[in-house]
Amino acid sequence: LPDLTPKVVFAARIDLAQGTLRCNCSICAKLRFWPAIIASSEFSLLSGEDGLADYQFLTRRDHHYFCRHCGVHPFWYRNIAPLGRVSCGEYGVPR
Amino acid sequence: LKTYHGSCHCGAVRFIASIDLAQGTLRCNCSICAKLRFWPAIIASSEFSLLSGEEALADYQFLTRRDHHYFCRHCGVHPFGTGTSPRWGAFHAVNVACLDDATPEELAAAPVTWIDGKHDKWNSAPELTGHL
């Protein structure tokens, strides 16, 4: 039988009424990415860190994570402070 | 039919495909289409040519393992999938969002057929479609 165990699992606190994004930039368009932006403090990765691939390009500012097993992009990460203050950041989580 | 050039984001995977977008595209609420927001045009496999990147393609399969849900292992973009069906024969499901020379106007004008794959109703539309 196929292994249906989810590889990447997270919990996130989101007020969808605060809005979501759709963007025509090169990566959002090809993925049809549809995120809600939340503070990193509202996000918990429960399992699957080992299963995440990280795609970066150009400025390499953002981390476009995806599951290396199924190719789904569950969330992305941007550190708002580019000088390494990892305490403030934001995640993009598809609905 | 118009010949389009397509690619993943990082450019490792490149293809050409002959597609008549006026013939329609699909959006489906099945488990994999919904999480990918996959937006394919279905074409005969004979109308598709992979130009580069075969080694970059990861193949995700599940359940019946009938269809191949390919994605680029470098950037995670799903440029196309393949399968065989009674309706279409050997087909490629080409992600129209990956067609580099399709204009926004062409894509916006492409008809969409909605599919309720989540409930195994492959010939009818789901009640809600705005999230797909």
Side-chain angles (χ1 to χ4, degrees), chain A residues 63-83:
Chain A
H63 297 269
H64 307 94
Y65 292 115
F66 62 96
C67 171
R68 64 177 79 253
H69 304 292
C70 66
V72 168
H73 292 240
F75 59 89
W76 292 352
Y77 173 76
R78 170 186 299 180
N79 185 348
I80 290 176
L83 299 179

Side-chain angles (χ1 to χ4, degrees), chain B residues 33-63:
Chain B
C33 284
K35 293 210 178 195
L36 292 171
R37 306 192 67 239
F38 196 51
W39 185 18
I42 306 298
I43 63 172
S45 291
S46 56
E47 303 292 347
F48 182 95
S49 295
L50 184 63
L51 300 180
S52 71
E54 189 167 1
E55 73 290 344
L57 287 173
D59 182 10
Y60 177 57
Q61 293 191 290
F62 60 96
L63 292 176

Side-chain angles (χ1 to χ4, degrees), chain A:
Chain A
L1 287 174
D3 178 13
L4 296 178
T5 306
K7 307 295 184 188
V8 178
V9 180
F10 64 88
R13 290 172 53 83
I14 305 171
D15 180 1
L16 286 176
Q18 292 293 313
T20 60
L21 301 181
R22 293 203 203 151
C23 173
N24 66 353
C25 81
S26 61
I27 187 69
C28 284
K30 292 208 174 189
L31 291 170
R32 305 189 72 234
F33 196 53
W34 184 17
I37 306 301
I38 61 173
S40 293
S41 56
E42 303 293 348
F43 182 95
S44 296
L45 183 62
L46 301 179
S47 73
E49 189 167 0
D50 293 344
L52 287 174
D54 182 9
Y55 175 57
Q56 294 190 287
F57 60 96
L58 291 178
T59 63
R60 296 175 177 266
R61 181 189 57 191
D62 302 337
H63 297 269
H64 307 94
Y65 292 115
F66 62 96
C67 171
R68 64 177 79 253
H69 304 292
C70 66
V72 168
H73 292 240
F75 59 89
W76 292 352
Y77 173 76
R78 170 186 299 180
N79 185 348
I80 290 176
L83 299 179
R85 293 181 190 168
V86 295
S87 59
C88 83
E90 61 186 8
Y91 282 93
V93 181
R95 49 133 185 134

Side-chain angles (χ1 to χ4, degrees), chain B residues 2 4 21 99-108:
Chain B
K2 181 173 174 179
Y4 293 96
L21 286 175
L99 300 177
D100 296 313
D101 44 11
T103 64
E105 290 78 8
E106 283 179 285
L107 294 178

Side-chain angles (χ1 to χ4, degrees), chain B residues 68-101:
Chain B
H68 297 270
H69 307 275
Y70 293 113
F71 62 96
C72 172
R73 64 178 81 252
H74 304 298
C75 64
V77 168
H78 293 239
F80 61 91
T82 65
T84 302
S85 85
R87 197 185 327 186
W88 301 316
F91 69 87
H92 273 58
V94 179
N95 186 348
V96 298
C98 289
L99 300 177
D100 296 313
D101 44 11

